[in-house]
Amino acid sequence: MKHALSMIGWDVVEIDLLSDPDGIMAIFASGQWELVDVDLLYRNLRIELSRRRAHGRPIRILFDITEALRPSEAVAARTLWQMQRTFQPSDRVAILTNDIDQKKRLRLLLESTNVAVFSSKLPSEMWLTSDIDRPY
């Protein structure tokens, strides 16, 4: 079963609910994000997360932003606000970036959340499926 989460400013985000045995939802972002993109993505993401929670499935999300441009301050603030509205303390969210400066900024910005930021995919997936706290 596949659901498209957003098609505006993001790659067509498809989540195959049955294909990942670890239950990780992968969301790939590319290009320049706008406020409408963030709002649409998180609106649709909350619907999908509600379905998963209703079935007792853990929430494990990998945001791959390696091909995304640096967001404006307004978009970054809106993304943080949407994350705070969407995720619960038991959820695991990892952000994958290939920009070391962005990784540092995101870690500072998200230090009070249960969101971890990585520059390599394997460690991010390992953390998402583990029971350990953030690795830093």
Side-chain angles (χ1 to χ4, degrees), residues 27-41:
I27 299 174
F28 301 91
S30 63
Q32 186 66 53
W33 311 354
E34 301 295 335
L35 293 174
V36 67
D37 303 325
V38 174
D39 291 341
L40 182 59
L41 175 73

Side-chain angles (χ1 to χ4, degrees), residues 14 32 38 77 82 92-94 102-103 108 113 125 136:
E14 298 250 341
Q32 186 66 53
V38 174
Q82 288 285 14
R92 288 276 175 127
V93 180
Q102 185 178 38
K103 178 180 167 182
L108 286 173
T113 69
E125 290 175 334
Y136 50 87

Side-chain angles (χ1 to χ4, degrees), residues 77-128:
R78 178 72 61 91
T79 301
L80 179 60
W81 178 74
Q82 288 285 14
M83 291 176 87
Q84 292 167 336
R85 293 182 60 213
T86 303
F87 302 121
Q88 297 177 2
S90 61
D91 298 342
R92 288 276 175 127
V93 180
I95 298 173
L96 180 62
T97 179
N98 57 5
D99 181 329
I100 298 301
D101 289 332
Q102 185 178 38
K103 178 180 167 182
K104 290 176 186 176
R105 279 192 309 278
L106 287 170
R107 282 186 171 179
L108 286 173
L109 181 66
L110 299 168
E111 68 184 347
S112 65
T113 69
N114 196 25
V115 177
V117 184
F118 298 88
S119 56
S120 181
K121 187 173 181 178
L122 183 58
S124 67
E125 290 175 334
M126 290 174 63
W127 178 77
L128 284 169

Side-chain angles (χ1 to χ4, degrees), residues 2-71:
K2 291 189 178 187
H3 298 283
L5 288 182
S6 174
M7 297 173 68
I8 302 172
W10 296 71
D11 287 340
V12 175
V13 177
E14 298 250 341
I15 297 172
D16 189 334
L17 300 179
L18 303 176
S19 69
D20 186 350
D22 296 320
I24 297 173
M25 297 171 60
I27 299 174
F28 301 91
S30 63
Q32 186 66 53
W33 311 354
E34 301 295 335
L35 293 174
V36 67
D37 303 325
V38 174
D39 291 341
L40 182 59
L41 175 73
Y42 277 91
R43 184 194 70 192
N44 292 327
L45 183 58
R46 281 190 291 276
I47 293 167
E48 183 58 41
L49 296 182
S50 293
R51 288 183 189 128
R52 286 178 174 241
R53 288 185 177 109
H55 290 94
R57 297 186 68 188
I59 304 303
R60 306 288 183 256
I61 300 173
L62 175 61
F63 283 101
D64 183 335
I65 61 170
T66 56
E67 295 185 22
L69 299 176
R70 184 175 177 182

